[in-house]
Amino acid sequence: RNRELGDGSFRRIADQVIALAGEEGLVLTITGGEPFLEPERVLYILKNARSRVELTTSGFWARDRERTRATLSRISDAARANKNPGFSLGLQVSLDAFHQEVVPSEGGLEERIPLANVANIVELTRPMDMDLCLLTKYTLYLDPLVNLLAELEARGLRGKIVGRHYDPELKVTMPLGTAMVTRPALLKAYLELPAGRPVFILYTAVEAIGGAALLEPFEYPAFRRRTEEFMAGSSRERLPLTGIEVGDDGNVYPGAHALYSWSLGNVLQEDLRSIYDRIARDPLIAAMGEDPKRIIDMALEQEPGLLEEMSATSSPLVALYRALEEPERRLYITRRLLESYKSP
């Protein structure tokens, strides 16, 4: 966005986030974009955090063993320098068809983020006191984990997938040879490697919101059945707020990972603690956790034409945020909620 965040503003944001996460026992996730485009600011947070930190990266910086070892050593040194008792660190590396996408280049074809980068990180974190998680997405493309295991084995590191955990309620469609099959979603597993702690593998769904709204529906499985049941009222699914996001502009958003429906305030203008405490009194936030279908129904009262758009979204959560995108609609729903709370 061609926006420069000065060091003073960065520290005002970071210090408030660090303090609130420590006081409330919240996990502090650093994500992007790519955090390691600004490594000094990442290291500042690691040195000062008072609670669990999950650091998410594409691994673009791990092009060779020397650079990988140097960056991992800086991360490890910053973590060791942090003496706060509540602090711990997890490194999360994106491993999916979107990060490892094969794209045209002058020399032919190349991976956007080479799989070798991820293999370098997996290989060189083994002797370090650092939790490593591979974050992957449900897509209809080949799971890069298959090729990662082959790359590690070529390096003499034969891996074994253990502790698989499936959710039979979530169905995903995936290619199997020339056919498409529907199976329960694999939620998590562990990769065991020689001489190192197990690597956690976490699968998550693609939510078609934010930048992912530009993806074509055929690129990812969507939990459309859940959305259809939710919209029809046959599933009273609760969608409680599970996190807040503080952007590098200071804006505070409900929900994580760029679900930018509306800003709850700005920490460069108001203390984060005040914003966080106000969330508990926000009628929209309360309705998300208690009865989100109520929000949908009120949105359709105002604009019935939204039904088709929201029914086609990738999940009930995205449908809910679609309902709350427009400021005028949020104001209408908020007023309706307040009126209903006043009723006997």
Side-chain angles (χ1 to χ4, degrees):
R1 298 178 182 175
N2 299 318
R3 182 179 63 242
E4 291 292 334
L5 183 70
D7 285 339
S9 294
F10 163 73
R11 292 202 176 194
R12 283 178 63 192
I13 295 172
D15 289 347
Q16 290 187 67
V17 171
I18 287 168
L20 181 70
E23 292 165 6
E24 297 291 331
L26 303 174
V27 175
L28 197 165
T29 299
I30 309 173
T31 185
E34 173 52 56
F36 277 95
L37 293 175
E38 300 185 88
E40 297 303 325
R41 292 179 174 178
V42 170
L43 297 175
Y44 176 85
I45 295 174
L46 295 184
K47 291 174 183 176
N48 294 281
R50 305 174 198 171
S51 61
R52 173 77 172 179
V53 173
E54 298 285 359
L55 173 56
T56 305
T57 179
S58 69
F60 81 95
W61 42 268
R63 291 186 293 274
D64 56 58
R65 283 178 168 82
E66 184 178 344
R67 293 180 185 180
T68 305
R69 187 176 285 108
T71 300
L72 289 173
S73 294
R74 295 188 74 192
I75 296 170
S76 181
D77 289 347
R80 281 200 301 267
N82 188 324
K83 304 304 181 185
N84 292 314
F87 169 74
S88 63
L89 172 63
L91 181 64
Q92 301 179 335
V93 182
S94 298
L95 178 71
D96 56 58
F98 307 121
H99 287 83
Q100 275 68 56
E101 181 183 10
V102 177
V103 294
S105 69
E106 291 182 3
L109 297 174
E110 64 180 28
E111 289 176 286
R112 194 177 296 279
I113 303 292
L115 195 70
N117 290 30
V118 181
N120 288 337
I121 295 172
V122 173
E123 180 181 357
L124 295 174
T125 52
R126 287 181 306 133
M128 297 183 174
D129 185 24
M130 190 183 307
D131 296 330
L132 181 61
C133 173
L134 300 178
L135 291 176
T136 192
K137 297 285 186 183
Y138 300 118
T139 75
L140 297 186
Y141 300 105
L142 178 67
D143 187 345
L145 180 63
V146 175
N147 292 331
L148 177 64
L149 293 174
E151 172 68 21
L152 291 170
E153 186 167 349
R155 300 181 182 199
L157 297 172
R158 181 185 288 272
K160 181 181 180 183
I161 304 295
V162 299
R164 291 181 175 89
H165 177 70
Y166 295 88
D167 186 341
E169 297 299 317
L170 298 180
K171 304 291 186 182
V172 293
T173 303
M174 61 187 69
L176 183 65
T178 58
M180 298 297 290
V181 297
T182 300
R183 292 180 172 173
L186 176 64
L187 297 183
K188 58 185 179 181
Y190 289 90
L191 170 61
E192 288 188 344
L193 293 167
R197 64 174 64 187
V199 177
F200 186 45
I201 303 170
L202 180 64
Y203 283 80
T204 58
V206 176
E207 296 282 20
I209 198 166
L214 301 176
L215 297 172
E216 296 292 341
F218 72 82
E219 294 186 273
Y220 58 90
F223 300 131
R224 293 271 164 74
R225 182 179 299 175
R226 285 176 59 196
T227 306
E228 292 167 1
E229 291 172 352
F230 174 68
M231 294 296 297
S234 56
S235 165
R236 288 286 169 177
E237 188 166 350
R238 297 178 71 250
L239 300 170
L241 190 69
T242 57
I244 59 172
E245 180 167 305
V246 183
D248 63 359
D249 53 6
N251 280 332
V252 181
Y253 300 97
H257 303 298
L259 298 176
Y260 290 168
S261 283
W262 74 97
S263 172
L264 302 165
N266 188 292
V267 297
L268 296 177
Q269 302 166 5
E270 180 183 4
D271 184 72
L272 180 58
R273 165 56 67 181
S274 299
I275 298 171
Y276 186 77
D277 290 344
R278 192 167 63 240
I279 291 172
R281 303 190 300 273
D282 189 311
L284 291 177
I285 300 297
M288 285 171 64
E290 295 168 4
D291 189 1
K293 183 59 168 61
R294 198 175 182 193
I295 293 176
I296 297 290
D297 292 342
M298 290 178 177
L300 294 176
E301 285 177 5
Q302 190 201 39
E303 194 172 343
L306 283 172
L307 179 61
E308 183 176 352
E309 178 185 339
M310 288 191 289
S311 298
T313 55
S314 57
S315 75
L317 182 65
V318 178
L320 182 67
Y321 276 89
R322 282 279 187 273
L324 296 171
E325 268 184 331
E326 297 299 327
E328 296 81 5
R329 196 179 305 130
R330 284 199 306 277
L331 181 59
Y332 171 82
I333 294 170
T334 301
R335 285 174 171 164
R336 291 278 285 108
L337 288 169
L338 290 173
E339 289 170 1
S340 66
Y341 291 146
K342 291 177 184 176
S343 302

